[in-house]
Amino acid sequence: MKKDSKLSSVLHVLLHMAHSGQPLTSEQLAAFLHTNAVVVRRMLAGLRELGYVDSVKGHGGGWSITCDLKQVTLRDIYDAVGTPSVFAMGHRVEDPQCLVEQAVNQALDEAFRDAEALLIERLSDVTLADLSDDFNRRFRIQSQA
């Protein structure tokens, strides 16, 4: 099963926007993700509706981040991109007749719920400003090397 990287991709372009100091075109953002501009426009459209980003057409236009990085958590962005599935694992059979498989599914369901709740709780503890600060720290270290 293919991993869903939508959350990671959105966070990636949001940080680029936050550090650019100017609007970035869909083409520029697509280059960061090694994808095409249509994918970026689709991905950011929902964030624009929620007020996290804005776009301006024409010369000098592009995408800009419009939210307060200190107020927006990774959980907010996770929700904005449609709460993608956290796990690629699942049941072999969703509605098994076999009692053994029913027991296995029950145990896995509990573990998946607990793990997903922990992850989503952690996403609520990290803001876009935290990511930005981490980027700045890494950039300083690399610049000094």
Side-chain angles (χ1 to χ4, degrees), residues 62-132:
W63 293 94
S64 299
I65 193 161
T66 56
C67 61
D68 180 350
L69 300 182
K70 293 178 183 173
Q71 298 299 315
V72 179
T73 67
L74 274 58
R75 169 68 188 268
D76 295 328
I77 303 303
Y78 170 76
D79 290 341
V81 299
T83 62
S85 178
V86 173
F87 298 109
M89 291 186 291
H91 301 306
R92 190 179 71 83
V93 176
E94 287 300 322
D95 191 20
Q97 299 304 307
C98 175
L99 297 178
V100 169
E101 194 151 27
Q102 289 175 13
V104 168
N105 285 5
Q106 176 65 34
L108 290 177
D109 283 343
E110 290 176 23
F112 291 156
R113 274 194 307 274
D114 291 348
E116 185 172 7
L118 181 63
L119 175 65
I120 291 172
E121 178 183 326
R122 177 68 178 122
L123 293 177
S124 297
D125 295 337
V126 181
T127 66
L128 292 178
D130 295 330
L131 290 184
S132 181

Side-chain angles (χ1 to χ4, degrees), residues 8 20 38 48 81 94 132 135 139:
S8 178
S20 72
V38 172
R48 180 180 49 215
V81 299
E94 287 300 322
S132 181
F135 163 74
F139 186 76

Side-chain angles (χ1 to χ4, degrees), residues 13-62:
V13 297
L14 286 174
L15 283 183
H16 275 292
M17 284 188 271
H19 288 272
S20 72
Q22 63 187 17
L24 296 172
T25 66
S26 298
E27 289 76 16
Q28 290 170 309
L29 294 171
F32 296 135
L33 300 177
H34 306 289
T35 190
N36 66 56
V38 172
V39 171
V40 170
R41 285 190 285 274
R42 274 192 221 130
M43 185 172 59
L44 294 179
L47 295 180
R48 180 180 49 215
E49 291 173 15
L50 294 170
Y52 296 134
V53 298
D54 196 15
S55 63
V56 175
K57 295 181 181 180
H59 182 71

